Amino acid sequence: MAKHQTFLTAIEKQSKLKEGIKELNQRVQQLQKEKEEIIQLIDKFTGLDQTILKKKYIEGLTLDAIATELGYSYQYVKNKHAELMRMIKFSQKV
């Protein structure tokens, strides 16, 4: 009886794992789609605007690291990023 119970428990765990893997794969696909959309949006910008967005959202750098790398003040990059975010949000409303 104990072996039968252990077998059923193992099957239940396997089923839960399969469901978990399925959900994770769906999440990965969703994140890949979102990443592609972000890249397409960033590619609409040029110059410093595009560089800041790429470094922030593709490379994962902080605004401070971006400022240091590009030779700008942190405040300038922070303000530029805020301006870009306002532009993006406004364009999504339209």
Side-chain angles (χ1 to χ4, degrees):
M1 181 77 163
K3 287 184 181 180
H4 181 68
Q5 194 69 3
T6 304
F7 179 72
L8 290 176
T9 303
I11 289 175
E12 288 174 4
K13 286 181 181 179
Q14 184 181 28
S15 177
K16 287 180 183 179
L17 283 173
K18 284 182 180 179
E19 185 60 32
I21 290 169
K22 181 181 174 184
E23 289 173 7
L24 286 173
N25 283 333
Q26 290 172 342
R27 182 70 178 136
V28 166
Q29 289 175 352
Q30 179 63 30
L31 289 172
Q32 287 173 335
K33 181 182 174 193
E34 289 174 12
K35 182 179 179 181
E36 290 171 13
E37 290 171 358
I38 290 169
I39 290 170
Q40 288 175 357
L41 176 65
I42 289 172
D43 284 343
K44 293 179 181 179
F45 290 88
T46 59
L48 181 61
D49 295 347
Q50 185 183 64
T51 301
I52 290 172
L53 292 172
K54 277 187 176 180
K55 292 194 176 294
K56 173 80 172 145
Y57 296 104
I58 296 174
E59 297 177 23
L61 296 180
T62 64
L63 295 178
D64 191 38
I66 295 168
T68 300
E69 187 175 312
L70 299 179
Y72 291 95
S73 72
Y74 167 74
Q75 193 61 48
Y76 179 78
V77 171
K78 180 181 172 188
N79 291 342
K80 192 70 165 160
H81 178 261
E83 175 187 326
L84 293 167
M85 292 298 94
R86 283 190 298 274
M87 288 171 55
I88 290 169
K89 287 177 184 175
F90 178 78
S91 71
Q92 290 175 343
K93 289 180 182 179
V94 175

